[in-house]
Amino acid sequence: MMKSIFRILIDIAIFICLVHAWWYFALLLAIIGLWNFGLYIEIILAGLIYDALYGSMKVTDIMGSIGLVVGVIFFVILTFIKKLVRIRE
Amino acid sequence: MTYIQSRNSRGGNSFRYTTLSVFLIVVAVIGIRFLLPNFFSGFMTAIARPFWRTEFSISSGQLMSAEALLDSKEDLMRRLDEANMRGATAFALAIENTELKSMLGRASSTPIILAAVLSKPPLAPYDSLVLDIGSENGIVAGSMVYGMGNVPLGKITDVLAHSSKVLLFSSPGQRFDVLVGKTHIQAIALGKGGGQYVVELPRDSKVMEGDTVAIPSLKSNLYGIVSSIVSDPSQPFEKVLFAVPLNIFELRWVYVEKP
């Protein structure tokens, strides 16, 4: 229960950071969330929101998809690292 | 007992499913962006707009006390009087300038519209602005955006119903023609981000710090001021760094040229 509340709080904080374009805080919070919670898909959504708010709308413009690309890269790499180092009880 | 997770356990399958899910999400997102390019942007901007408007209102002093507002009003009235005195001369010169251009058949009749800057991410990789006017105000992609003093800042790239995005000329990689210094040396400026530009000129061009940079047009708008010159005696060219004469990160209002 506490973990769910913590996750929602981090999600809200990430959204506030994205609206204010504080992407560095949003990325830091997303990494914390990604490390602490399972299947933290919010990091990809955060990238998508950042691109939608500030990036170019042209689908061919890769510069307008940096948020999505960074979100996916962090998601895949950290999920892989978590799988390697996590110890199960 | 504690042990390191086996590669053959259910975790391996879970990782594969997760990766597959992410791949499908990315494909879905790209598909939606391709079919409905305005969907995500319009939806998220509609959600973020009230937050941006509130922040803009707070920074404009709308939540100040009545006493503070009165003090501020008095101070502003006094400064307005002073500015009016100074502005009278400039206004007369501007009228004379317009009349002269009109006599020569080169008068500008392009209408402009004032826009509030809702978002100006200081460290965002896109170096862009979000304005509070959109297609309902007659704005189209490609419209020029000016700062105070008619300083050209950028161009509208994306237009939504009630907001629009501006790509600044200083965005990294942007190139355009400029006239540098007192002798108006024509060169190509390269955007470096955050209102900063760089131009390469021959070493004997005699450009100095504080010289002006303009765009090659009849309006002769001030584009920037030379802030630094990096010269290497072993190189035939020197790098001239210049910046717009206003702080991009403190922008609150801009003018947009209507088509």
Side-chain angles (χ1 to χ4, degrees), chain A residues 7-18 22 25-26 29:
Chain A
R7 184 171 183 153
I8 291 167
L9 287 176
I10 285 193
D11 290 348
I12 292 169
I14 287 173
F15 181 75
I16 291 169
C17 290
L18 288 174
W22 300 332
F25 289 129
L29 287 168

Side-chain angles (χ1 to χ4, degrees), chain A residues 40-82:
Chain A
Y40 197 71
I41 208 86
E42 288 93 323
I43 192 168
I44 296 173
L45 294 177
L48 189 63
I49 291 171
Y50 187 79
D51 292 335
L53 289 177
Y54 307 109
S56 165
M57 291 191 289
K58 295 180 190 76
V59 74
T60 51
D61 188 358
I62 190 68
M63 284 302 288
S65 302
I66 286 177
L68 182 66
V69 171
V70 169
V72 170
I73 288 172
F74 271 90
F75 183 86
V76 172
I77 290 175
L78 272 175
T79 307
F80 183 69
I81 293 172
K82 270 166 73 175

Side-chain angles (χ1 to χ4, degrees), chain A residues 19 23 51-52 55 63 65 87, chain B residues 2 33 41 52 123-124 126 165:
Chain A
V19 168
W23 60 269
D51 292 335
M63 284 302 288
S65 302
I87 294 172
Chain B
T2 301
R33 283 190 66 180
S41 201
W52 287 336
L123 294 175
Y126 304 126
K165 292 175 191 172

